[in-house]
Amino acid sequence: MKISMISEHASPLAALGGVDAGGQNVHVAALSEALAKRGHTVTVYTRRDATELPARVKVGRRLEVVHVDAGPACHIPKDELLPLMGELADGVAKDWGQRRPDVVHGHFWMSGLAALYAARREGAGYQVPVIQTFHALGTVKRRHQGAEDTSPLERRWLEPGVGRSADRIIATCSDEVFELKAMGINTSKISIAPCGVDLDLFSTEGPADPRPRRHRILSVGRLVPRKGVDLVIRALPLLSEAGFDDVELLIVGGGGDSKVLDADPEVRRLLGLAEELNLSDRVTLQGQVPRAAMPGIFRSADAVVCSPWYEPFGIVPLEAMACGVPVVAAAVGGLRDTVVDHGTGLHVPPRDPEAIASALALLLGDPALAAELGRAGQLRARSRYSWDRVAVETEKAYKLAMAEASAGRVPMEGAAL
Ligand code: UDP
């Protein structure tokens, strides 16, 4: 199969941990690689966000990343990219030329728009089946972030429009299917394929980084308020009250070098909170860590805490599980599918530092339980979340879309945009 991926802001080649670089980048990179390994030819289109980027980067024999000129060649926050989607689509269609792909797969709602524009160009005389993965939904973001949501207003109608117009949708967890249904999207065209985890990189084999205190709690991710890292800091004094005070909280993530990190408002907020609670010597902000260094960090932790307000999927818990580390997870979104309560970790209600502290006290006080949850997590990650398996599920959705297209099914609401 000849597959085009469009990932407008999240390049598979970007460094991770910055405000707009996280799970989607990992997902697009790993899924594309797994599909290429299965014999497909994959081209990933992303917006050129730096002048020095080459037009094409060959990543493997059948995998290539194309930097499309759309707007200025510099970083633009993803919520400001909407006006550039027409240009991005033009660049993609131009690159296709006469060699159109069998499917085009949009990642995030804006790439979905670009995919639809490129795939159904008026007068082009062709239609390419469009598959869409949203990664995050505006309805959910608005519900949790309210006035703080910086998404463009048009997302309110364009995102459901993408959902209605795409030939097939791949949801990453069951919670997302309910959300899509509530947006008025026909569930018969939705398949579920989760995100995966790189099992060669993330495993129990290999050294663990040294840790400065008896216990280490780990938080990994983009440093944005909705990831709820402040809740873990607030849990530390409660954990001390429960008798565990020789505990370090290591926070990994946040874009760029220490200068960028120091200027980041979320970093300042978190450091301010740690200072206010007298925890400055126990809370370490590590900044951005390259992928290759992540497994050693995971293995050094007693537990990983994922405490977002909401989470479309969440690859970090899978990485922790693959490294055999138990996860304390807010019972929201994708985390309810990946982390099994009292099976591979412990669920806590969202935005609840007391519950995080109790769960951590349970794990730190019972190493046998922690080890058992870690072992089960590793098994679960290996048996269900390999990227190969995700690629097989994704391929099924592509084949269905192609079969429906060749049977002449025209999406009923194709004009909804
Ligand atoms: N990550 C990383 N280095 C960092 C911070 C994060 O490699 O400094 C990776 C992390 O290991 C995970 C991804 O970024 O693979 C974050 O994905 P997740 O789905 O958990 O969150 P998202 O960013 O999509 O909200």
Side-chain angles (χ1 to χ4, degrees), residues 52-328:
E52 66 275 14
L53 292 173
R56 315 183 86 82
V57 180
K58 197 126 184 81
V59 182
R61 198 153 69 85
R62 282 185 289 266
L63 174 58
E64 186 173 43
V65 175
V66 175
H67 295 113
V68 180
D69 290 317
C74 60
H75 172 75
I76 299 176
K78 70 168 184 265
D79 288 336
E80 293 169 23
L81 292 175
L82 180 61
L84 305 177
M85 289 306 107
E87 217 179 315
L88 185 73
D90 288 344
V92 171
K94 192 166 155 221
D95 192 66
W96 287 348
Q98 294 310 307
R99 298 194 58 243
R100 287 184 304 278
D102 296 303
V103 290
V104 53
H105 186 165
H107 293 267
F108 199 57
W109 68 279
M110 279 191 265
S111 299
L113 277 178
L116 287 162
Y117 291 150
R120 301 187 188 157
R121 293 167 84 74
E122 250 174 64
Y126 63 77
Q127 289 207 353
V128 179
V130 175
I131 290 87
Q132 172 67 14
T133 299
F134 284 101
H135 293 272
L137 292 172
T139 45
V140 180
K141 192 171 185 192
R142 257 195 323 277
R143 192 180 309 143
H144 291 276
Q145 298 199 1
E148 307 281 293
D149 179 8
T150 53
S151 304
L153 186 66
E154 295 90 330
R155 186 172 187 179
R156 294 179 186 222
W157 57 90
L158 290 178
E159 188 168 56
V162 169
R164 289 193 299 268
S165 303
D167 296 274
R168 290 208 70 81
I169 293 174
I170 299 181
T172 53
C173 67
S174 37
D175 189 58
E176 191 184 340
V177 179
F178 293 114
E179 296 290 350
L180 290 166
K181 190 173 177 198
M183 281 162 60
I185 291 164
N186 179 352
T187 50
S188 70
K189 66 175 182 184
I190 305 176
S191 324
I192 297 187
C195 296
V197 57
D198 179 347
L199 295 167
D200 293 331
L201 183 63
F202 294 94
S203 80
T204 50
E205 302 296 317
D209 283 11
R211 59 188 193 201
R213 291 183 177 267
R214 177 147 185 233
H215 297 294
R216 173 177 270 180
I217 306 300
L218 179 63
S219 162
V220 178
R222 293 175 298 125
L223 291 187
V224 289
R226 73 122 177 132
K227 289 284 181 179
V229 180
D230 56 332
L231 302 166
V232 199
I233 299 177
R234 287 187 191 284
L236 284 192
L238 305 168
L239 198 55
S240 297
E241 280 169 28
F244 301 96
D245 52 8
D246 197 11
V247 179
E248 179 209 22
L249 168 62
L250 179 66
I251 301 169
V252 168
D257 56 19
S258 60
K259 233 168 83 196
V260 178
L261 207 59
D262 288 347
D264 185 318
E266 180 64 359
V267 171
R268 293 163 90 101
R269 184 175 79 99
L270 296 175
L271 287 176
L273 179 64
E275 205 174 303
E276 188 189 311
L277 297 175
N278 244 332
L279 294 167
S280 298
D281 58 334
R282 288 170 50 198
V283 174
T284 313
L285 263 106
Q286 177 95 19
Q288 198 166 42
V289 168
R291 255 180 111 60
M294 289 303 303
I297 294 183
F298 275 112
R299 287 191 288 259
S300 73
D302 294 276
V304 170
V305 182
C306 301
S307 49
W309 306 344
Y310 65 95
E311 190 58 90
F313 185 79
I315 296 181
V316 166
L318 284 186
E319 293 171 344
M321 282 157 59
C323 291
V325 181
V327 182
V328 172

